[in-house]
Amino acid sequence: MAELANTPFSLSQSQQIYTLHPGDVACGERGDRLETLLGSCVAIILTDPRRTIGAMCHIVHAGQSVSSAPSNASYADVALATMYRLLRERGIDPTQCEAYLYGGGNMFPDLLSHGHVGERNARWVCDALAEDGIRVLAQDLGGCAYRRLSWTVGIGAPQVTSVPV
């Protein structure tokens, strides 16, 4: 399980860029940038209401991890639990956070119209956050395009660019 996508690229001594790949989870502070590219995968961004801390995960598989990969953050349950742990380690109660949700695209619309991987991923994430009482501020789920997602921890909303299939 990767908690940080890679060694962060330093913008300055106090600012980092975390590029997440499938199965990665990262947590940054105000001014750090979190970014990823999504297809059928779903990214969750959680932040405290004051926007001092932000966490992002890149979920590949909806639901619970298989017994052969119990700590693999590409599975939604492990990714969300890892995000919660990283936030708690920084003194943030995850249930008081706000969320942004992105991805869940249908990357093969000519083959599948319903029940595709992206749809299952998006549904799982929405249900899990609702169950935990986490308010979703914005979401961009579904469709048939890749999404390039970037967020600088702070007041602004994440930036999303659609990339056609």
Side-chain angles (χ1 to χ4, degrees), residues 10-116:
S10 185
L11 294 172
S12 70
Q13 286 188 347
S14 63
Q15 295 177 317
Q16 309 270 342
I17 297 175
Y18 297 95
T19 301
L20 281 75
H21 301 283
D24 285 343
V25 178
C27 191
E29 299 179 7
R30 186 183 300 267
D32 291 344
R33 190 164 74 217
L34 307 169
E35 55 188 33
T36 195
L37 178 66
L38 302 162
S40 60
C41 297
V42 172
I44 301 172
I45 295 173
L46 293 178
T47 184
D48 65 298
R50 294 177 301 141
R51 307 291 189 270
T52 60
I53 301 290
M56 181 191 283
C57 68
H58 186 132
I59 295 170
V60 179
H61 309 288
Q64 298 189 350
S65 60
V66 294
S67 61
S68 63
S71 62
N72 184 337
S74 65
Y75 289 91
D77 65 331
V78 176
L80 194 56
T82 301
M83 289 178 75
Y84 286 0
R85 179 179 54 77
L86 292 172
L87 289 164
R88 284 188 191 104
E89 287 173 359
R90 288 162 177 80
I92 304 295
D93 176 0
T95 63
Q96 299 303 307
C97 286
E98 298 170 328
Y100 295 96
L101 310 176
Y102 300 95
N106 182 356
M107 306 323 296
F108 305 101
D110 293 337
L111 299 175
L112 300 167
S113 59
H114 297 293
H116 57 84

Side-chain angles (χ1 to χ4, degrees), residues 38-44 100-106 116 118-119 121-127 129 136 138-145 147 160:
L38 302 162
S40 60
C41 297
V42 172
I44 301 172
Y100 295 96
L101 310 176
Y102 300 95
N106 182 356
H116 57 84
E119 187 177 284
N121 287 343
R123 187 175 330 114
W124 189 94
V125 165
C126 290
D127 291 348
L129 293 177
V136 175
Q139 64 184 27
D140 183 5
L141 299 167
C144 299
R147 291 172 176 88
V160 182

